[in-house]
Amino acid sequence: MRVSIIVLFILFLMMGLTTERASAQIRGYNTMVGVVGGTNLGGTVKQFISQPGAVDLLVYRRWKGTVAALLYEHHFNITEIRGLEWFAGGGAHYGIWKDGKGEPPWVYRIDQDYKAFGVDAIVGLEYNFHLSNFYLGLYWKPAYNFQDFTDFWGDEAAFTLRYSL
């Protein structure tokens, strides 16, 4: 609970400090940091490597385990709505669940470790609030695992709140 309050305080502080330079940040940024919440809860760092292309690192908790996903995302403008973009891409993930603590749906024995790695696809929307440094996003990230749970994960969706540096 304390962590949530601290994160919200920092976000509001950054919003107040950046109103002057926000108009110059339409696409003049390279890095975004933020939080992820939905079927998972965690953080994200997005680094643009070209005008439409970005590398996105997601680190989050799911089923009491930890998962990291590294994705490439290609962004497309939606010209009818200023500040709205959609993106699509793919990448890979790796997750670990420690004995007695994790509850992934494929658990056979509670006293052993489980790992999962595989490939991901991602599609989503991202909206810039009135040319500020804050972006609200929504994504769907289906994945396929190659270890322990060798099957399709199609239920991973989340909101993101990002801040451009």
Side-chain angles (χ1 to χ4, degrees):
M1 179 69 177
R2 277 190 268 171
V3 174
S4 300
I5 293 170
I6 292 170
V7 168
L8 286 174
F9 175 75
I10 291 170
L11 288 174
F12 283 118
L13 181 65
M14 286 189 290
M15 185 173 17
L17 294 175
T18 59
T19 54
E20 287 182 26
R21 64 182 195 144
S23 60
Q25 294 287 336
I26 296 172
R27 187 57 128 192
Y29 61 89
N30 288 328
T31 306
M32 299 168 73
V33 295
V35 293
V36 176
T39 57
N40 51 30
L41 184 62
T44 174
V45 176
K46 183 185 280 193
Q47 175 70 44
F48 279 85
I49 55 176
S50 66
Q51 180 65 19
V55 175
D56 195 0
L57 173 65
L58 299 169
V59 178
Y60 54 89
R61 304 270 303 161
R62 184 150 193 212
W63 297 308
K64 297 183 183 176
T66 303
V67 180
L70 186 61
L71 307 160
Y72 173 79
E73 300 169 354
H74 193 86
H75 289 249
F76 304 92
N77 285 330
I78 298 175
T79 56
E80 290 80 14
I81 303 172
R82 186 180 175 112
L84 185 64
E85 296 179 335
W86 73 278
F87 59 88
H93 70 271
Y94 179 79
I96 188 164
W97 291 263
K98 290 290 184 185
D99 62 323
K101 296 180 183 171
E103 295 178 0
W106 63 88
V107 168
Y108 308 113
R109 294 183 49 198
I110 194 72
D111 62 344
Q112 71 183 52
D113 293 349
Y114 290 93
K115 297 177 181 132
F117 65 89
V119 294
D120 300 83
I122 190 166
V123 64
L125 292 170
E126 206 161 59
Y127 179 71
N128 177 245
F129 288 106
H130 306 290
L131 303 177
S132 72
N133 290 15
F134 287 92
Y135 291 77
L136 179 66
L138 169 68
Y139 70 80
W140 176 56
K141 189 176 77 64
Y144 186 84
N145 286 323
F146 297 122
Q147 181 180 353
D148 277 343
F149 179 66
T150 54
D151 205 353
F152 178 71
W153 280 351
D155 65 341
E156 197 165 305
F159 287 97
T160 60
L161 178 61
R162 292 186 171 120
Y163 177 78
S164 64
L165 301 176

